[in-house]
Amino acid sequence: MTSADGAGPVADLVRYDLDGHVATITYNRPERLNAIDGAMRQALNAAFSRFRDEEDAWVAIVTGAGRAFCAGADLRGEGDPTGEFTGTFWERPTVNSFESGWEIFKPVIAAVNGYCIGYGFTLVTWCDFVIASERAEFGFPEVRLGVPTMVGAIRLPRKINWQYAMELLLTGERIGADRAHEIGLAGWVVPHEELMNEARALAARLVRGAPLAARAIKEVAVRTADLPMTDAIRFGETMRRVAGATEDAAEGGAAAAERREPRWRAR
């Protein structure tokens, strides 16, 4: 197992641990319920950048230390939790973090251990799988603070039923784990002490598949969501041919013919 490179307060705010092909990214500011300030934003971006680029990292689990997953933006913290911007308002980039839409086509599991509010909830809407502790709570409180929820308003109605999404976005109320499961937000609700075991078990299932094929599948699913069917099929066929030309595709065929487990190399 390897841990995040570097030392000091910024590196300590987010832990990065790689065990086999599974990276665990942990919000690590429990004394502030893992709320995000400017320094933690830098650390989160560094962790997700590492996961995106590290060849041996095939699947990520995201969770929080202490009793919160992430309590949103730290309005009393230092720095800008949204990231570093330059220029005028209209020149500001909007895609500057995983929460706001970095394209990471490796599978990501959210292991939600407690409060999942604001920015934390936004990140969950970008995850492929959500496993919730029985103690988890989800909410977008921004409307009660006089500001709109932007990325949440874009993503949440694509994840769950429109009316359930609007209820969360427009009331600012929180829901518990069972309600999150009922409306399709959380795929699983588990006893709190079993949360990470369940997340690791799911990750172990995912790494049995060819990593490049998995990334192609996720990219096709994301990019074709708003395409006409013919265009979607054409793009999917292109990606199938690209993935089919990899060493892993040849290995998969050989392993099936020889009746053995494939040895993936992500090549």
Side-chain angles (χ1 to χ4, degrees), residues 82 102 134 149:
T82 66
W102 271 1
E134 60 195 348
T149 306

Side-chain angles (χ1 to χ4, degrees), residues 80-223:
D80 184 353
T82 66
E84 295 298 326
F85 295 121
T86 59
T88 67
F89 175 85
W90 298 110
E91 294 171 341
R92 291 180 178 182
T94 54
V95 179
N96 55 20
S97 65
F98 181 65
E99 293 97 317
S100 67
W102 271 1
E103 291 187 332
I104 299 178
F105 295 118
K106 299 176 180 181
V108 182
I109 302 166
V112 183
N113 55 299
Y115 300 119
C116 182
I117 309 298
Y119 274 130
F121 196 176
T122 299
L123 182 138
V124 164
T125 67
W126 283 92
C127 291
D128 305 293
F129 306 93
V130 181
I131 304 176
S133 156
E134 60 195 348
R135 302 178 188 175
E137 293 185 20
F138 301 83
F140 279 120
E142 288 88 339
V143 71
R144 295 191 174 190
L145 300 173
V147 295
T149 306
M150 286 293 90
V151 178
I154 295 167
R155 288 292 299 175
L156 192 61
R158 302 185 184 193
K159 301 284 282 189
I160 63 174
N161 175 278
W162 174 271
Q163 294 182 89
Y164 298 150
M166 288 298 108
E167 182 182 17
L168 282 164
L169 291 163
L170 299 180
T171 67
E173 296 171 354
R174 298 182 190 179
I175 60 171
D178 289 338
R179 178 61 175 164
H181 182 262
E182 181 181 350
I183 66 177
L185 175 62
W188 302 265
V189 177
V190 300
H192 183 75
E193 61 274 9
E194 293 297 320
L195 177 64
M196 292 308 296
N197 288 338
E198 292 292 335
R200 293 185 187 106
L202 175 56
R205 292 166 57 199
L206 292 170
V207 298
R208 293 187 64 189
L212 299 183
R215 291 170 214 173
I217 290 168
K218 181 174 175 178
E219 183 168 359
V220 168
V222 170
R223 295 198 186 281

Side-chain angles (χ1 to χ4, degrees), residues 12-13 15 26-35 40 64-69 113:
D12 291 342
L13 292 172
R15 296 203 309 267
T26 306
Y27 292 87
N28 192 35
R29 202 176 175 227
E31 73 283 358
R32 298 292 297 163
L33 298 179
N34 298 321
M40 192 169 182
R67 59 194 180 95
F69 180 81
N113 55 299

